[in-house]
Amino acid sequence: MSPSTKMFLRLSCLFQTAANVLNRRAFSTSRVTCAQQMTVRDALNQALDEEMERDETVFLMGEEVAQYDGAYKVSRGLWKKYGDKRVIDTPITEIGFAGICVGAAFAGLKPVCEFMTFNFSMQAIDHIINSAAKTYYMSAGRIKVPIVFRGPNGAASGVAAQHSQCFGAWFAHCPGLKVISPYNSEDCKGLLKAAIRDPDPVVFLENELLYGTQYPMSDEALSKDFVLPIGKAKIERSGNHITLVAHSKAVELALEAANELAGQGIECEVINLRSLRPLDTQTIEQSVVKTNHLVTIEQGWPTCGIGSEICARIMESEAFYHLDSPIVRVTGMDVPMPYTKTLEGYALPRGEDVVTAVKKVLGAAPK
C-alpha cells in the first residue's frame, strides 16, 4: 500500500470519527480516534460473558434471561454457551428469585439478578434492603453478599406511571448498597464487570432507551481486563463557566445543552456521575471551585433526589464559598408519569430546560 493511500485511509477514519461524535453531541474526554462503535446492549452482554467465563461462580437469574435471550436481549447467547445451571429462567416472582439469589450470595456464589425493569424490584425490596444490604453489617463482617441486581431503570416510552420511574435516589438512600447509574457503552461494560467482582451488593441501574444506542469503545474498553472503579465520576466535557452534573440518560441532555451553549460563548463542564453511592463529591467540588456555578440534571423526581443530595453536600463543603449564585436542579416533574405521549414529554427534563437553567444561574452569558 502506497504512503498516500495509507494517509487517505487514516484521514478518512479521523473524519468519520469526528462526524460520529458531533452527531451524538457527546464530547467525551476518552480517546475515540478510530474507536469501535458498540451498543449499550452489546457492552452489557460482553461484560456478562467475560465475567462468567472468568469466574464459574457467577450466574445469571431472572425472567426470560435464558432461552429467550432476555427481554431486551442483554443476555443473548449466554444460555447456549453456559447452560441451564448458570443462566436460569424463573417464573414471574421477583420476591422468589431475588431471595434465591441473595441466599446463593450468602453461600459464596456471585449471582446477577436481573429484573425485567426496576419497577418490579419493589416486589423484592425486602430481600434487597433487609437481606442483601444489611447482612454484612449484622454479621459483623462474617457474611459477604457479592450480588448484582441489574435491569432497566428510569423513564421508558409510553408505559405510564407504574413502569416509568427512576429508583436511583431510592437505593442510594440505603447504607450497605453500592448504586451504579451508567451512561454509555464504556460505562456499562467497565462498571458491570466491577459490580460483579465487588464483594458487596450492587444495584446496577441501566436505561432502556439507551440499549440500542451506539457509543465509541476504546481499545482499552474492548479488553477483557477493562474494569472501571466504582465511586468515580467522569468529566465528559471540560469547561470553565458552569458545572453540569448528571447520570444515566440525563448526561445526554447535559452534553446537548453544553453543545448549544458553546455556540453562545458559555463553556459547560459536564460530569457523568456513573456511581450514585458512593457519590464522587470530590470531583463535583473541584469543578465548582473552578466554574463557580452548578446545575444538576436528572430524570427522577425532585424531592429527596440525587440533585438534592448534591446540593446538600456542596452546601456543607468548602466549595460553597466558591459559588457565585444558587444551585439550580433540573428534574422530572413531581407527578406520576402520564401515559399520553405529549404529557410524557413535558414530565421529563428537556435540553431546553437545561439551557434555561444555565442562563438563570449565570444571569447572562460570560463575555
PDB file of all heavy atoms in Angstrom, residues 162-179:
ATOM      1  N   GLN A 162     -46.641   3.246  36.302  1.00  0.00           N
ATOM      2  CA  GLN A 162     -46.144   2.104  37.061  1.00  0.00           C
ATOM      3  C   GLN A 162     -44.897   1.464  36.462  1.00  0.00           C
ATOM      4  O   GLN A 162     -44.284   0.598  37.081  1.00  0.00           O
ATOM      5  CB  GLN A 162     -47.251   1.057  37.202  1.00  0.00           C
ATOM      6  CG  GLN A 162     -48.413   1.551  38.059  1.00  0.00           C
ATOM      7  CD  GLN A 162     -49.553   0.557  38.104  1.00  0.00           C
ATOM      8  OE1 GLN A 162     -49.810  -0.156  37.136  1.00  0.00           O
ATOM      9  NE2 GLN A 162     -50.249   0.519  39.227  1.00  0.00           N
ATOM     10  N   HIS A 163     -44.534   1.868  35.255  1.00  0.00           N
ATOM     11  CA  HIS A 163     -43.386   1.260  34.580  1.00  0.00           C
ATOM     12  C   HIS A 163     -42.393   2.309  34.087  1.00  0.00           C
ATOM     13  O   HIS A 163     -41.607   2.040  33.174  1.00  0.00           O
ATOM     14  CB  HIS A 163     -43.863   0.419  33.388  1.00  0.00           C
ATOM     15  CG  HIS A 163     -44.728  -0.739  33.766  1.00  0.00           C
ATOM     16  ND1 HIS A 163     -46.050  -0.586  34.096  1.00  0.00           N
ATOM     17  CD2 HIS A 163     -44.457  -2.057  33.893  1.00  0.00           C
ATOM     18  CE1 HIS A 163     -46.564  -1.773  34.396  1.00  0.00           C
ATOM     19  NE2 HIS A 163     -45.613  -2.680  34.286  1.00  0.00           N
ATOM     20  N   SER A 164     -42.393   3.491  34.681  1.00  0.00           N
ATOM     21  CA  SER A 164     -41.553   4.553  34.136  1.00  0.00           C
ATOM     22  C   SER A 164     -41.133   5.512  35.258  1.00  0.00           C
ATOM     23  O   SER A 164     -41.665   6.606  35.372  1.00  0.00           O
ATOM     24  CB  SER A 164     -42.324   5.306  33.043  1.00  0.00           C
ATOM     25  OG  SER A 164     -41.452   5.944  32.147  1.00  0.00           O
ATOM     26  N   GLN A 165     -40.153   5.064  36.040  1.00  0.00           N
ATOM     27  CA  GLN A 165     -39.691   5.902  37.143  1.00  0.00           C
ATOM     28  C   GLN A 165     -38.241   5.555  37.467  1.00  0.00           C
ATOM     29  O   GLN A 165     -37.771   4.463  37.158  1.00  0.00           O
ATOM     30  CB  GLN A 165     -40.564   5.704  38.380  1.00  0.00           C
ATOM     31  CG  GLN A 165     -40.692   4.267  38.843  1.00  0.00           C
ATOM     32  CD  GLN A 165     -41.860   4.047  39.768  1.00  0.00           C
ATOM     33  OE1 GLN A 165     -42.101   4.835  40.677  1.00  0.00           O
ATOM     34  NE2 GLN A 165     -42.605   2.974  39.568  1.00  0.00           N
ATOM     35  N   CYS A 166     -37.551   6.492  38.072  1.00  0.00           N
ATOM     36  CA  CYS A 166     -36.144   6.313  38.416  1.00  0.00           C
ATOM     37  C   CYS A 166     -36.007   5.926  39.885  1.00  0.00           C
ATOM     38  O   CYS A 166     -36.530   6.607  40.762  1.00  0.00           O
ATOM     39  CB  CYS A 166     -35.360   7.588  38.120  1.00  0.00           C
ATOM     40  SG  CYS A 166     -33.605   7.478  38.581  1.00  0.00           S
ATOM     41  N   PHE A 167     -35.267   4.853  40.140  1.00  0.00           N
ATOM     42  CA  PHE A 167     -35.067   4.371  41.508  1.00  0.00           C
ATOM     43  C   PHE A 167     -33.678   4.710  42.044  1.00  0.00           C
ATOM     44  O   PHE A 167     -33.272   4.179  43.082  1.00  0.00           O
ATOM     45  CB  PHE A 167     -35.289   2.854  41.566  1.00  0.00           C
ATOM     46  CG  PHE A 167     -36.732   2.469  41.389  1.00  0.00           C
ATOM     47  CD1 PHE A 167     -37.237   2.167  40.129  1.00  0.00           C
ATOM     48  CD2 PHE A 167     -37.594   2.437  42.468  1.00  0.00           C
ATOM     49  CE1 PHE A 167     -38.563   1.832  39.956  1.00  0.00           C
ATOM     50  CE2 PHE A 167     -38.929   2.093  42.303  1.00  0.00           C
ATOM     51  CZ  PHE A 167     -39.429   1.795  41.046  1.00  0.00           C
ATOM     52  N   GLY A 168     -32.969   5.586  41.346  1.00  0.00           N
ATOM     53  CA  GLY A 168     -31.625   5.945  41.782  1.00  0.00           C
ATOM     54  C   GLY A 168     -31.581   6.474  43.196  1.00  0.00           C
ATOM     55  O   GLY A 168     -30.789   6.018  44.033  1.00  0.00           O
ATOM     56  N   ALA A 169     -32.434   7.446  43.501  1.00  0.00           N
ATOM     57  CA  ALA A 169     -32.445   8.046  44.839  1.00  0.00           C
ATOM     58  C   ALA A 169     -32.949   7.062  45.890  1.00  0.00           C
ATOM     59  O   ALA A 169     -32.494   7.085  47.043  1.00  0.00           O
ATOM     60  CB  ALA A 169     -33.302   9.312  44.834  1.00  0.00           C
ATOM     61  N   TRP A 170     -33.888   6.191  45.495  1.00  0.00           N
ATOM     62  CA  TRP A 170     -34.416   5.193  46.440  1.00  0.00           C
ATOM     63  C   TRP A 170     -33.272   4.338  46.999  1.00  0.00           C
ATOM     64  O   TRP A 170     -33.098   4.214  48.212  1.00  0.00           O
ATOM     65  CB  TRP A 170     -35.406   4.255  45.737  1.00  0.00           C
ATOM     66  CG  TRP A 170     -36.693   4.826  45.272  1.00  0.00           C
ATOM     67  CD1 TRP A 170     -36.879   5.882  44.429  1.00  0.00           C
ATOM     68  CD2 TRP A 170     -38.002   4.345  45.591  1.00  0.00           C
ATOM     69  NE1 TRP A 170     -38.206   6.086  44.195  1.00  0.00           N
ATOM     70  CE2 TRP A 170     -38.925   5.155  44.898  1.00  0.00           C
ATOM     71  CE3 TRP A 170     -38.481   3.300  46.377  1.00  0.00           C
ATOM     72  CZ2 TRP A 170     -40.292   4.959  44.974  1.00  0.00           C
ATOM     73  CZ3 TRP A 170     -39.856   3.099  46.451  1.00  0.00           C
ATOM     74  CH2 TRP A 170     -40.751   3.939  45.759  1.00  0.00           C
ATOM     75  N   PHE A 171     -32.524   3.713  46.085  1.00  0.00           N
ATOM     76  CA  PHE A 171     -31.488   2.778  46.510  1.00  0.00           C
ATOM     77  C   PHE A 171     -30.253   3.493  47.054  1.00  0.00           C
ATOM     78  O   PHE A 171     -29.579   2.979  47.947  1.00  0.00           O
ATOM     79  CB  PHE A 171     -31.110   1.852  45.355  1.00  0.00           C
ATOM     80  CG  PHE A 171     -32.198   0.869  45.001  1.00  0.00           C
ATOM     81  CD1 PHE A 171     -32.838   0.917  43.770  1.00  0.00           C
ATOM     82  CD2 PHE A 171     -32.590  -0.107  45.906  1.00  0.00           C
ATOM     83  CE1 PHE A 171     -33.832   0.010  43.442  1.00  0.00           C
ATOM     84  CE2 PHE A 171     -33.590  -1.016  45.593  1.00  0.00           C
ATOM     85  CZ  PHE A 171     -34.221  -0.963  44.359  1.00  0.00           C
ATOM     86  N   ALA A 172     -29.945   4.684  46.527  1.00  0.00           N
ATOM     87  CA  ALA A 172     -28.786   5.431  47.019  1.00  0.00           C
ATOM     88  C   ALA A 172     -28.973   5.871  48.464  1.00  0.00           C
ATOM     89  O   ALA A 172     -28.005   6.200  49.145  1.00  0.00           O
ATOM     90  CB  ALA A 172     -28.527   6.641  46.122  1.00  0.00           C
ATOM     91  N   HIS A 173     -30.194   5.863  48.942  1.00  0.00           N
ATOM     92  CA  HIS A 173     -30.502   6.252  50.331  1.00  0.00           C
ATOM     93  C   HIS A 173     -30.044   5.203  51.338  1.00  0.00           C
ATOM     94  O   HIS A 173     -29.882   5.503  52.524  1.00  0.00           O
ATOM     95  CB  HIS A 173     -32.016   6.467  50.449  1.00  0.00           C
ATOM     96  CG  HIS A 173     -32.493   6.870  51.806  1.00  0.00           C
ATOM     97  ND1 HIS A 173     -32.168   8.079  52.397  1.00  0.00           N
ATOM     98  CD2 HIS A 173     -33.274   6.219  52.712  1.00  0.00           C
ATOM     99  CE1 HIS A 173     -32.732   8.155  53.588  1.00  0.00           C
ATOM    100  NE2 HIS A 173     -33.402   7.039  53.804  1.00  0.00           N
ATOM    101  N   CYS A 174     -29.802   3.964  50.857  1.00  0.00           N
ATOM    102  CA  CYS A 174     -29.666   2.828  51.771  1.00  0.00           C
ATOM    103  C   CYS A 174     -28.216   2.424  51.990  1.00  0.00           C
ATOM    104  O   CYS A 174     -27.527   2.005  51.057  1.00  0.00           O
ATOM    105  CB  CYS A 174     -30.432   1.624  51.217  1.00  0.00           C
ATOM    106  SG  CYS A 174     -32.184   1.963  50.953  1.00  0.00           S
ATOM    107  N   PRO A 175     -27.717   2.508  53.249  1.00  0.00           N
ATOM    108  CA  PRO A 175     -26.371   2.026  53.540  1.00  0.00           C
ATOM    109  C   PRO A 175     -26.279   0.520  53.326  1.00  0.00           C
ATOM    110  O   PRO A 175     -27.234  -0.219  53.558  1.00  0.00           O
ATOM    111  CB  PRO A 175     -26.174   2.396  55.020  1.00  0.00           C
ATOM    112  CG  PRO A 175     -27.551   2.542  55.570  1.00  0.00           C
ATOM    113  CD  PRO A 175     -28.406   3.022  54.444  1.00  0.00           C
ATOM    114  N   GLY A 176     -25.127   0.080  52.840  1.00  0.00           N
ATOM    115  CA  GLY A 176     -24.935  -1.340  52.547  1.00  0.00           C
ATOM    116  C   GLY A 176     -25.017  -1.653  51.071  1.00  0.00           C
ATOM    117  O   GLY A 176     -24.565  -2.716  50.638  1.00  0.00           O
ATOM    118  N   LEU A 177     -25.592  -0.739  50.291  1.00  0.00           N
ATOM    119  CA  LEU A 177     -25.674  -0.922  48.842  1.00  0.00           C
ATOM    120  C   LEU A 177     -24.678  -0.011  48.142  1.00  0.00           C
ATOM    121  O   LEU A 177     -24.369   1.086  48.609  1.00  0.00           O
ATOM    122  CB  LEU A 177     -27.073  -0.579  48.329  1.00  0.00           C
ATOM    123  CG  LEU A 177     -28.239  -1.475  48.724  1.00  0.00           C
ATOM    124  CD1 LEU A 177     -29.531  -0.906  48.153  1.00  0.00           C
ATOM    125  CD2 LEU A 177     -28.021  -2.915  48.247  1.00  0.00           C
ATOM    126  N   LYS A 178     -24.167  -0.469  47.011  1.00  0.00           N
ATOM    127  CA  LYS A 178     -23.499   0.403  46.057  1.00  0.00           C
ATOM    128  C   LYS A 178     -24.443   0.557  44.876  1.00  0.00           C
ATOM    129  O   LYS A 178     -25.084  -0.417  44.465  1.00  0.00           O
ATOM    130  CB  LYS A 178     -22.157  -0.197  45.630  1.00  0.00           C
ATOM    131  CG  LYS A 178     -21.162  -0.273  46.781  1.00  0.00           C
ATOM    132  CD  LYS A 178     -19.856  -0.928  46.376  1.00  0.00           C
ATOM    133  CE  LYS A 178     -18.917  -1.014  47.585  1.00  0.00           C
ATOM    134  NZ  LYS A 178     -17.663  -1.738  47.272  1.00  0.00           N
ATOM    135  N   VAL A 179     -24.556   1.773  44.361  1.00  0.00           N
ATOM    136  CA  VAL A 179     -25.546   2.055  43.319  1.00  0.00           C
ATOM    137  C   VAL A 179     -24.853   2.684  42.122  1.00  0.00           C
ATOM    138  O   VAL A 179     -24.196   3.724  42.258  1.00  0.00           O
ATOM    139  CB  VAL A 179     -26.662   2.979  43.845  1.00  0.00           C
ATOM    140  CG1 VAL A 179     -27.722   3.183  42.760  1.00  0.00           C
ATOM    141  CG2 VAL A 179     -27.292   2.403  45.106  1.00  0.00           C
TER     142      VAL A 179
END
